[in-house]
Amino acid sequence: MQTTREATDLFQRTLRYFGGDELRARVFFDKYALRDPSGRVVESVPPEMWARVAREIASAEETEAKRREWEEKFYWLLEDFRFVPGGRILFGAGNPRRATLLNCYVIPIRGDSLEDIFEWCKEAARTYSFGGGVGTDISGLRPRGTPVNNAAITSSGAVSFMELLSTTTGTIGQAGRRGALMITLRSDHPDVLEFTRVKRNLDKVRYANISVRVDDAFMRAVEQDGEYTLRFSNEKVRTERTLRARELWEELVRGARDYAEPGVIFWDTVRRGSTSEYNGMNVITTNPCSEIPLEPYGACCLGNVNLSAFVREPFTERAHLDWEALERALRYAVRFLDDVLDYNADKHPLPEQREASRRSRRIGVGFTGMGDMLVKLRLRYDSEQALAFVDRTFERIKNVVYDESANLAAEKGPFPAFDREQHFRQPFLQTLDPAVREKAYTLGLRNVALLTVPPVGSGAALAGTTSGIEPIFDLYYLRRSESLTQSQFKVYHPLVRQYMDEFGVDDEHLPEWFVTAHRIVPEMRVRMQATVQKHVDHSISSTVNLPEDATVEDVERIYFLAWKLGCKGITVYREGSREGVLITEAKAQQHTQPDSVRVPAEPARDRAATRPRPTTKCFTASNS
């Protein structure tokens, strides 16, 4: 066992590496540094982690020469946080524990019986024990009050089983992490009103995210103030009724504003944008943070290109993206995540998960540091110039990533479930550059889907950059020093500190590019998400931050704009609607960071009391 003194000495080395940034040092030391089976820390600085991860993932290559080549290339990719793999990869690569490297899985409830529900509990518990999160949909469970063939006479309804699913999640953990769960329900399920209200009691369903899968028919009925049909049908039960669409709409909007519950996923948009709607790969729900819609037993294989790391001559009029290096990173990232699938082939919790991953070879090349990238380029996040630049950048990124998947298909073969004609009928494939589309049609694709924007919560904190495609949340937070004095001091966002040191200014004299989340008009946040979504085949995790005085009408406008612009989901967080979240400077005097710094909860929620939301930033037990 490691003594306290040994651990302290190791952490001091970590702290020195990060230049005294205790938050980044703690994230690395407590979450990602490798430990031996006795719990002894054996890595103290990121280069040791990068070497381990590069070596382990490259071991999936077929020949020794390829393994040596790609170990070196993967190290370059990981070095200086150019690429931040999903938390399960950083934790699990080379780890002797029984752990999956894939963040999350969808586990279906296979039927409408008690046996099916408890079979789900068994499969989910096994998945949590390996470190994976779970998404599930309960739309197949019969509504409250319908007949059953047991002593109960009538069913207690789909919602009544949510507490059981949540308790399973909260009970099972792996390496100190609680499981993460998403529960979804169709908007036309007869229990949907009960579903929207279930988590207004903070003691209920505490270990799950919940989201309503709304369809276009519902959104049109809301627009027209018309009626909407709720229905359920299987071989034993059939029921149908109508309600005024705005009755459900008002519950969704009020829930989002007042309780941050439930989330909204525009399911018809998800299905239209999916590239896997054939050969049994049709998506049925999402992972816990909703950035990956998945088929039954499908999995998230995630890693994030740090866009901020590729800006050259930052803050100057000559600032630009180094496209040569960025393209290299994108191509290496595709191969890295594809190799993760092979490395992890015998590490899935369930055989069904192994088979689903094998058939689709689904990966998620994600992104982080976009907010910092725009600041370095002197582009204000909420400007038309920033929107246009992001549009051009992700158009190019999309084509590079798809081109590389075609290269891998030529080298290693396309994913086993690939059907050329069916795949290229999917609308997203029509958005590729014609030359890339022709190449992919000819050679095939190694992966059924390739692009996403995960939350990158602790991963972004480790890299010292903004999360996902979010703007800077705030310039600084206040930390209270209890060890020396009772005074407070500011801990700056790393890029803010870099700029102040380089140009000799204080936080009162930063240029306008340093705009923070709460000072951005919500509609511009939606437009940015929609701009990126055009070039992403999965979905996006992002949160629209609202002030405490935001109205129901504000939320309505955001929801409708997101739907009309083609977002696959939308998340809002009104400040103060949940406890235990990051807050703005205006409330910092009541909420300061203690001397012993922990990783802060993400802006939109605290896992213990609420949950990460669909298409939003998540800070979950499984590092999703």
Side-chain angles (χ1 to χ4, degrees):
M1 290 294 293
Q2 202 162 32
T3 67
T4 302
R5 177 60 182 271
E6 288 172 335
T8 300
D9 289 345
L10 275 174
F11 179 70
Q12 289 305 310
R13 186 183 176 208
T14 306
L15 192 60
R16 286 193 298 272
Y17 180 90
F18 285 104
D21 188 325
E22 190 170 351
L23 175 57
R24 296 180 68 190
R26 280 292 174 199
V27 171
F28 172 77
F29 195 83
D30 293 344
K31 293 179 73 68
Y32 300 125
L34 184 67
R35 284 165 165 75
D36 67 17
S38 72
R40 178 178 174 272
V41 178
V42 296
E43 292 173 345
S44 60
V45 292
E48 295 169 340
M49 176 183 69
W50 298 330
R52 164 177 56 89
V53 174
R55 179 187 66 250
E56 292 293 319
I57 303 308
S59 71
E61 294 289 336
E62 292 183 355
T63 67
E64 182 59 32
K66 284 284 188 183
R67 288 191 282 273
R68 288 196 302 269
E69 174 191 354
W70 283 101
E71 180 178 351
E72 180 179 340
K73 289 179 175 178
F74 288 161
Y75 187 90
W76 176 89
L77 177 67
L78 297 165
E79 189 178 24
D80 296 330
F81 300 107
R82 292 185 183 97
F83 179 72
V84 184
R88 302 315 302 162
I89 297 171
L90 294 178
F91 176 83
N95 196 316
R97 296 175 182 271
R98 297 178 68 195
T100 178
L101 276 68
L102 305 192
N103 285 57
C104 299
Y105 298 85
V106 156
I107 298 180
I109 299 176
R110 301 188 190 188
D112 180 30
S113 70
L114 285 175
E115 290 80 4
D116 293 316
I117 294 167
F118 280 91
E119 181 67 18
W120 180 94
C121 292
K122 182 180 77 172
E123 293 184 340
R126 173 57 60 193
T127 301
Y128 295 139
S129 74
F130 277 58
V134 171
T136 197
D137 185 77
I138 60 172
S139 302
L141 299 182
R142 69 189 69 186
R144 178 184 292 275
T146 52
V148 293
N149 295 319
N150 58 40
I153 302 178
T154 61
S155 171
S156 56
V159 174
S160 68
F161 292 100
M162 292 172 67
E163 190 64 38
L164 173 64
L165 310 188
S166 172
T167 299
T168 301
T169 306
T171 301
I172 308 297
Q174 193 264 349
R177 295 173 170 88
R178 183 186 296 124
L181 171 64
M182 166 68 81
I183 304 173
T184 59
L185 186 74
R186 294 191 332 258
S187 57
D188 63 352
H189 190 284
D191 287 349
V192 67
L193 286 170
E194 183 183 0
F195 182 87
T196 65
R197 300 166 182 150
V198 69
K199 290 193 67 180
R200 295 179 187 179
N201 179 342
L202 297 185
D203 293 328
K204 294 290 186 181
V205 195
R206 295 182 62 219
Y207 305 114
N209 312 338
I210 69 169
S211 295
V212 177
R213 297 195 288 117
V214 303
D215 56 26
D216 288 345
F218 170 73
M219 296 299 291
R220 288 192 292 267
V222 173
E223 275 192 304
Q224 299 161 9
D225 195 13
E227 291 195 332
Y228 181 66
T229 300
L230 307 182
R231 55 171 62 88
F232 182 90
S233 178
N234 63 20
E235 65 278 5
K236 297 179 180 178
V237 175
R238 180 180 177 85
T239 183
E240 185 175 298
R241 67 184 176 91
T242 61
L243 82 170
R244 181 172 172 251
R246 281 197 165 268
E247 181 182 352
L248 173 56
W249 175 252
E250 288 162 6
E251 290 296 329
L252 290 172
V253 172
R254 177 172 174 254
R257 180 192 178 275
D258 294 344
Y259 301 95
E261 297 285 352
V264 170
I265 305 173
F266 301 119
W267 196 247
D268 284 340
T269 307
V270 168
R271 294 290 300 274
R272 282 192 297 270
S274 171
T275 57
S276 62
E277 298 307 287
Y278 67 93
N279 281 356
M281 298 179 293
N282 309 67
V283 297
I284 62 168
T285 186
T286 74
N287 70 320
C289 298
S290 281
E291 77 272 16
I292 303 281
L294 290 165
E295 70 273 29
Y297 298 104
C300 307
C301 179
L302 303 174
N304 305 285
V305 175
N306 178 5
L307 295 172
S308 179
F310 297 93
V311 178
R312 304 295 176 253
E313 301 186 78
F315 312 123
T316 72
E317 293 183 357
R318 301 179 303 280
H320 62 281
L321 270 183
D322 181 349
W323 264 104
E324 181 180 355
L326 179 54
E327 180 171 336
R328 180 184 177 191
L330 290 166
R331 293 185 183 279
Y332 288 6
V334 173
R335 192 178 193 110
F336 179 97
L337 293 176
D338 191 71
D339 278 351
V340 168
L341 296 178
D342 292 326
Y343 181 87
N344 196 74
D346 61 352
K347 300 178 187 297
H348 295 281
L350 304 171
E352 295 89 344
Q353 294 164 344
R354 180 175 62 250
E355 177 59 15
S357 177
R358 184 196 69 82
R359 292 187 73 243
S360 71
R361 300 197 67 86
R362 186 187 297 270
I363 63 172
V365 177
F367 303 90
T368 197
M370 194 185 86
D372 278 357
M373 175 193 73
L374 292 175
V375 170
K376 288 181 175 182
L377 293 170
R378 299 160 53 107
L379 292 171
R380 186 181 166 106
Y381 189 98
D382 54 352
S383 66
E384 295 295 334
Q385 294 88 342
L387 285 172
F389 179 83
V390 167
D391 193 10
R392 294 192 303 270
T393 299
F394 275 86
E395 171 81 26
R396 192 168 175 179
I397 284 170
K398 168 181 65 181
N399 283 290
V400 169
V401 167
Y402 264 80
D403 185 81
E404 189 60 24
S405 187
N407 290 339
L408 278 179
E411 178 184 345
K412 299 184 176 185
F415 64 93
F418 178 65
D419 181 308
R420 179 173 282 99
E421 297 305 322
Q422 292 196 74
H423 196 81
F424 281 84
R425 281 200 293 267
Q426 310 302 315
F428 185 84
L429 277 296
Q430 308 313 309
T431 72
L432 296 176
D433 180 272
V436 174
R437 187 169 64 249
E438 180 62 28
K439 178 178 178 178
Y441 183 86
T442 301
L443 301 178
L445 289 165
R446 180 66 171 167
N447 317 95
V448 71
L450 291 132
L451 293 151
T452 186
V453 180
V456 207
S458 55
L462 175 64
T465 193
T466 47
S467 301
I469 62 167
E470 308 283 4
I472 295 172
F473 179 71
D474 219 339
L475 301 178
Y476 62 83
Y477 62 86
L478 295 180
R479 179 180 168 194
R480 184 177 64 252
S481 175
E482 297 176 334
S483 57
L484 298 176
T485 70
Q486 289 299 310
S487 64
Q488 297 173 351
F489 60 95
K490 297 176 180 178
V491 177
Y492 288 96
H493 175 67
L495 192 67
V496 174
R497 168 56 67 192
Q498 178 186 338
Y499 187 90
M500 293 194 308
D501 290 346
E502 187 170 338
F503 292 93
V505 299
D506 59 26
D507 58 60
E508 297 293 325
H509 297 88
L510 295 170
E512 65 168 355
W513 331 308
F514 283 92
V515 63
T516 56
H518 287 82
R519 296 180 179 173
I520 295 174
V521 175
E523 286 76 7
M524 290 299 288
R525 294 290 302 280
V526 177
R527 288 181 63 194
M528 183 63 82
Q529 181 178 331
T531 296
V532 177
Q533 184 64 76
K534 289 191 302 180
H535 308 299
V536 167
D537 50 16
H538 285 118
S539 192
I540 291 174
S541 185
S542 184
T543 302
V544 178
N545 301 97
L546 298 178
E548 194 167 5
D549 61 358
T551 65
V552 168
E553 290 75 21
D554 292 332
V555 176
E556 282 192 291
R557 283 195 300 273
I558 291 166
Y559 275 21
F560 265 113
L561 181 63
W563 175 57
K564 290 177 181 292
L565 290 182
C567 294
K568 292 186 177 180
I570 190 69
T571 296
V572 300
Y573 177 72
R574 182 180 65 85
E575 188 169 339
S577 60
R578 286 285 188 177
E579 296 298 321
V581 299
L582 283 184
I583 56 172
T584 57
E585 180 183 340
K587 294 193 174 183
Q589 294 299 327
Q590 291 84 32
H591 299 265
T592 57
Q593 294 289 329
D595 186 55
S596 178
V597 175
R598 297 181 301 163
V599 182
E602 289 297 336
R605 78 258 343 124
D606 170 4
R607 277 293 297 177
T610 76
R611 81 288 179 273
R613 295 286 315 283
T615 55
T616 190
K617 294 162 71 169
C618 293
F619 188 67
T620 71
S622 64
N623 301 311
S624 185

